[in-house]
Amino acid sequence: KGKFSSATAAKLPSTCTDCVAGSYANDAGSTACKQCPNGWKSDDGAQMCTICDRGQFAATAGSSTCALCPTGQIASSSGLSSCSPCTSGKETDKKQEQGGASCVPCDEGTHEANHLCVDCPVGWNQEQKGTSACLECPVGRVAAANKTTAECTACLPSQYQSSTRQTSCLNCLAGFYTDQSAQSSCDGCPKGYSASDNVALCTPCATGQFQSNEEQASCINCDKGRYADVTGLPTCKMCGADGTSEPNGGLKSYQNVTGQMTSKWCPNA
């Protein structure tokens, strides 16, 4: 077995020849070797063929070896003549030592491209397993630079991002604020308020100050002859004798110092 002879009535072993790799002879006295079928292999002098394991294949009859499935393809059963590509969103299981016998879904933060799982590009994300595409981070959210991410991070209050596919949030400029996360823009401070850069809330103008414009970085001291006795005023109150600016109606008041929260009363004549 494993040998053959084409000579008539050959009886001596010396007249027999080993079957070449890829063929076999399983009967004594064979006059020819048989080819191994697709999905099988054999060495020289084989009495029988060996089936290709899972993750391997033999494309043609008479193969001397089984080839490993190429990257991204699998042979899920033994004795196959070809491998099959992994379906969309999957790649061959890298834990397997040889060939590919099964496919596994791509992890979060990756996607399948040409039968391989690759990281999402910077500024993109993927929160689900087994996908063939990543999603761009929307406005108000960012992805960490040079880092695979499964989800985009929301910009914090006092920050914003007006563009997609970004890796960092921007601070609100002076005179602007946002008290919400994941914002695409900041809101301007109203009259009577101000804000430095990178703040979540505007600050009301202090007593003795005012701000008559929106989107301002600071408040202004009240001029002489005016005052502000409460916070958050868009204009200062005017000292006068009409009783509207002080409780003691009919008396005249004044202020000769800037930035004051009260007026001074004129002495009685």
Side-chain angles (χ1 to χ4, degrees), residues 43-262:
D43 297 325
D44 291 332
Q47 298 180 24
M48 60 184 299
C49 298
T50 303
I51 193 170
C52 293
D53 292 333
R54 295 173 66 230
Q56 301 179 347
F57 72 104
T60 59
S63 295
S64 60
T65 59
C66 296
L68 297 177
C69 288
T71 301
Q73 297 188 27
I74 61 167
S76 57
S77 59
S78 57
L80 294 181
S81 60
S82 63
C83 300
S84 301
C86 291
T87 56
S88 177
K90 296 182 178 182
E91 69 173 359
T92 50
D93 190 351
K94 295 177 180 178
K95 295 179 180 179
Q96 297 165 356
E97 294 183 358
Q98 292 183 334
S102 62
C103 297
V104 293
C106 296
D107 290 332
E108 299 94 336
T110 68
H111 69 108
E112 176 265 320
N114 297 321
H115 308 301
L116 287 174
C117 295
V118 295
D119 292 344
C120 289
V122 173
W124 298 67
N125 79 305
Q126 181 50 256
E127 298 181 17
Q128 297 182 345
K129 285 187 174 183
T131 64
S132 59
C134 295
L135 305 174
E136 62 182 20
C137 289
V139 294
R141 294 179 178 271
V142 296
N146 301 320
K147 182 180 179 181
T148 300
T149 179
E151 61 184 50
C152 298
T153 303
C155 293
L156 298 174
S158 80
Q159 297 182 326
Y160 75 102
Q161 182 49 257
S162 58
S163 300
T164 60
R165 304 193 302 273
Q166 299 302 303
T167 59
S168 62
C169 298
L170 304 174
N171 292 335
C172 290
L173 299 177
F176 293 81
Y177 78 102
T178 176
D179 58 355
Q180 303 292 319
S181 60
Q183 296 302 296
S184 61
S185 63
C186 299
D187 297 319
C189 293
K191 296 177 181 180
Y193 288 75
S194 67
S196 59
D197 64 327
N198 191 26
V199 296
L201 292 171
C202 298
T203 303
C205 293
T207 54
Q209 295 185 326
F210 77 103
Q211 182 49 259
S212 58
N213 295 314
E214 299 176 344
E215 304 173 0
Q216 298 302 302
S218 61
C219 295
I220 304 169
N221 288 336
C222 293
D223 292 332
K224 293 179 181 181
R226 295 176 180 271
Y227 70 101
D229 56 349
V230 293
T231 60
L233 289 181
T235 59
C236 295
K237 298 177 181 180
M238 182 178 293
C239 301
D242 57 3
T244 59
S245 60
E246 289 291 349
N248 298 326
L251 294 178
K252 293 182 178 181
S253 61
Y254 73 103
Q255 184 52 262
N256 59 349
V257 181
T258 62
Q260 298 303 300
M261 60 181 291
T262 61

